[in-house]
Amino acid sequence: MASSRTAVAVKPPSPGKHPALRALGITLRAPEAGVAIVSVILAIAFGVMRPAFLSNANLETVSQFVAPWAILACGEIMLLICGEVDLSVGQVFAMAPFVMNFAYMAGLPFLLALVVALGVCAFLGFCIGMISVVLRVPSFITTLGALLLFNGLTLTLSGAFPVNTPNTPFAPLFGGWQYSEIAWAVLIALLMHGLLRHTSWGLHTVAVGGNATGAAEAGIHVRRVKIGNFILCSTLGGFAGIINAFHVTSIDPNAGGSNVMFLAIASSVIGGTSLLGGSGTVLGGLAGAAVLGILQDGFTLLGVNAFAFDIITGAAILLTMIANVQFADLRRKRRI
Amino acid sequence: METNTLTLEAKNLTKSFGQTQVLKGISLNVARGEMLGILGDNGAGKSTLMKILSGFQQQTSGDLLVDGKPTRLLSVDHARSFGIECVYQDLALVNSLSVYHNMFLNREIKRGWPISLLDHRAMRERAAAALDEIGVSVPSMDVEVGTLSGGQKQAIAIARAVASNARILLLDEPLAAMGAREASLIIALIERLKARGDISMIMIAHNYVQTLDVADRIMMVQRGICTFAGHSANTSVTELLDIVRREYREDAA
C-alpha cells in the first residue's frame, strides 16, 4: 500500500542509542520540556555565579516577575493557537483592580467585587472578539486600538492616581502572601493545559487555528471559539492585574501595560507556541516565562544593566523562533 | 427499486448569490447503496450543489427530500442528524492534529462529570478500528495528519464520515490532485463502501473515465443546469465529451 512508504519513516525509539542522545531526542520533540530544562540550567548557572540567586528572598522576587507573564501567556497562547492575538491585555491588567476597588468602595462584598471586575474584563474581551471576528478587523489592529482606549479609560477613571488595595481578609489568598501569585500562575497554567489538551474547547481551538475552513466544515463554530478565547485572555489578564495589585498593596494606573503584554507573548513564543496559529503549549509558556524571569533577575544580580537585558531578551526571542521553525521542519520530516 | 429506497432527493434546486444565479434548477436523487457521479466544469455549480446538500448553505428555492420527507437542511449539524456527511475537497482535516483527533473532530468522545474530558484512549482505539474496518492503513493513530500523503488524508476524511454513521455520503472531488496509485486506493475504498450496500454516495468529479467506472449513474452539470443524466453502464466517455463540445460550441456562437 502507499502507506508503507510513510510507515517506514515512523521509527520506534531505538533502544541502542546512548541515553543522553535519547533524552536530547525527547527534548527536541517536546519543545516545552526543552524550555523547562533551559530554565533549570539558567537557574543553576546564576546560582553558581551568585549564590544569593537561590536565596528565598530572591526566588520570591523572580516569582513576582514570572507570575503575571505566565498568567497572561496562558490567555495569549489560546489566542495565538486559534490565529489571533491580544495586544490590549496589559491595559486590562491595569484596569481590573480599579474596577474591583470601585465595586468594593460602592459597598459590594469583596468576592462579589472581584466577580464584577472579572465580568467587566470578560465583557471587554467579548467586545474585542466581536470587532475582530464579526466585524473582521484584524485582531492586531483591534487590540492596538483597544490598548490605547483601555489605557485612557483607566487613567480617566483613576484620575491617574494610585490607590490602596481593599482591606480584606482575602488579600493573602489573592496575591498578598509572598508565593500566592506564583501559586496562582502554576494553578492557572495547569488548568489551561488541561483545557487545551483534554477538552473539546482546546481541540477546537487548535482546529480553528490550523484550518479554519475545515473546522467550520466539521461543524465547529469558529467565531464562538475565537470570541471565547478573547474573553478568556482578557479575564486572565484582569485576574493577573488584581493579584499583582494585592501583592504590591497598591493599585497603580500604570501597572502592567504593553511591557507585561509583550513579555507574555515572548514567553508564549519561547515556550513553543506558533505565531502562525494551529499549535502551541501552555506549559511551554509557563517555562518560557520562567526563562525570561530568571534571565532578568540573574542579570540584575550580575550587575548587567537594563539595556543589556533588552538586548538579551530580544536575541533570545529571535534565537528561539529560529530554532522553533527549524526544529518544526525537522520534526515534520521525522529526522528527530 | 429506486423509487422506494431513495434516500436523498432534490427537486429544482436554485441558488443565487446576489445577481448571479449559480444553480438554475437542478434535480437529482440517489438510492440506498447507490453511487451517483456528478460531472462538470469548474464553476458549473457542482460545489455549490454539494454545499446545499450538506447543509453548509441553503438553496434559494427548490425542495430537498430525505427518505422521502421534505426537509430544509439548516446547518451542517442539522444535515448530520439525518446521516448526511460531506467529505470536502479541502478535507476539513487539521494538519497539526493527530489522526485520531481528526477522526473525532467535533464528535469527541468524552467522559467524566461534571467536567467531561476527552477520552483519548477510547478515541484512539475507535479510530484504529474504524480505519481498519474499511481497510485504510496509516502508520499510527498519533501521527500528525500533516505528515501523511494526499491519499491517506482522503481515506481518513472518508473513514471519518463513515465512522459517524453516514447513510448519505457526499464526496467532493475525492480523486483530485492525486497520482494514479493513490487514486486507485481511494477507488478501491469507495468500491468497498458500495459493497456494504447501506450507504448512498454522491461524488463530484472531473475525470470521466474514473467516474463512469465507479458510479452507478452519471449526471452532467453545466452552467447551473443538468445537461445529461443516465446509467453509467449505458454511457460512454465519447457521449459525455460530445455533450461538453456541444456546450462549448454554443458558448462560442
Side-chain angles (χ1 to χ4, degrees), chain B residues 14-149:
Chain B
T14 71
K15 176 74 184 176
S16 303
F17 296 100
Q19 296 292 324
T20 329
Q21 196 173 29
V22 180
L23 296 183
K24 298 168 184 163
I26 297 254
S27 300
L28 59 83
N29 60 56
V30 64
R32 184 179 309 151
E34 190 191 33
M35 153 78 92
L36 171 70
I38 301 179
L39 291 164
D41 260 346
N42 286 330
K46 291 174 299 167
S47 288
T48 307
L49 179 62
M50 215 54 141
K51 282 179 177 156
I52 293 170
L53 296 179
S54 64
F56 197 65
Q57 289 173 354
Q58 278 81 50
Q59 69 269 30
T60 309
S61 72
D63 297 314
L64 278 176
L65 287 83
V66 182
D67 297 320
K69 286 189 211 87
T71 313
R72 198 172 171 85
L73 301 171
L74 301 171
S75 68
V76 174
D77 283 338
H78 189 225
R80 266 186 186 167
S81 68
F82 293 102
I84 301 173
E85 282 287 337
C86 186
V87 179
Y88 291 97
Q89 206 174 349
D90 57 22
L91 303 177
L93 297 178
V94 180
N95 282 338
S96 57
L97 288 176
S98 69
V99 171
Y100 77 89
H101 280 139
N102 269 292
M103 284 284 288
F104 284 96
L105 193 58
N106 204 26
R107 258 192 299 263
E108 299 85 10
I109 303 175
K110 285 176 272 191
R111 64 193 173 118
W113 190 91
I115 301 164
S116 59
L117 300 177
L118 298 177
D119 191 340
H120 294 284
R121 186 195 290 179
M123 285 194 278
R124 204 178 276 125
E125 282 168 4
R126 294 256 297 267
L131 288 170
D132 199 42
E133 193 193 324
I134 59 168
V136 175
S137 85
V138 287
S140 135
M141 289 304 112
D142 288 289
V143 292
E144 287 180 12
V145 159
T147 63
L148 301 176
S149 71

Side-chain angles (χ1 to χ4, degrees), chain B residues 87-241:
Chain B
V87 179
Y88 291 97
Q89 206 174 349
D90 57 22
L91 303 177
L93 297 178
V94 180
N95 282 338
S96 57
L97 288 176
S98 69
V99 171
Y100 77 89
H101 280 139
N102 269 292
M103 284 284 288
F104 284 96
L105 193 58
N106 204 26
R107 258 192 299 263
E108 299 85 10
I109 303 175
K110 285 176 272 191
R111 64 193 173 118
W113 190 91
I115 301 164
S116 59
L117 300 177
L118 298 177
D119 191 340
H120 294 284
R121 186 195 290 179
M123 285 194 278
R124 204 178 276 125
E125 282 168 4
R126 294 256 297 267
L131 288 170
D132 199 42
E133 193 193 324
I134 59 168
V136 175
S137 85
V138 287
S140 135
M141 289 304 112
D142 288 289
V143 292
E144 287 180 12
V145 159
T147 63
L148 301 176
S149 71
Q152 286 173 318
K153 286 185 191 177
Q154 183 71 52
I156 289 168
I158 294 175
R160 171 166 78 180
V162 174
S164 65
N165 297 319
R167 299 182 306 116
I168 301 160
L169 193 56
L170 311 173
L171 303 171
D172 189 359
E173 305 213 19
L175 306 171
M178 212 176 275
R181 211 170 119 97
E182 300 248 279
S184 68
L185 277 176
I186 299 301
I187 290 173
L189 170 58
I190 292 172
E191 295 287 358
R192 282 198 294 278
L193 291 178
K194 258 172 72 178
R196 287 170 40 148
D198 57 345
I199 299 176
S200 307
M201 285 185 276
I202 299 179
M203 178 177 87
I204 281 182
H206 266 124
N207 188 314
Y208 298 171
V209 181
Q210 284 170 336
T211 310
L212 279 173
D213 207 29
V214 79
D216 299 300
R217 282 188 295 130
I218 297 279
M219 114 182 217
M220 177 94 82
V221 176
Q222 286 173 308
R223 295 191 288 193
I225 53 166
C226 173
T227 51
F228 173 85
H231 286 266
S232 45
N234 318 325
T235 312
S236 68
V237 174
T238 17
E239 211 173 321
L240 295 173
L241 286 174

Side-chain angles (χ1 to χ4, degrees), chain A residues 120-132:
Chain A
V120 168
C121 297
F123 177 71
L124 295 178
F126 174 77
C127 295
I128 301 169
M130 289 296 279
I131 295 170
S132 302

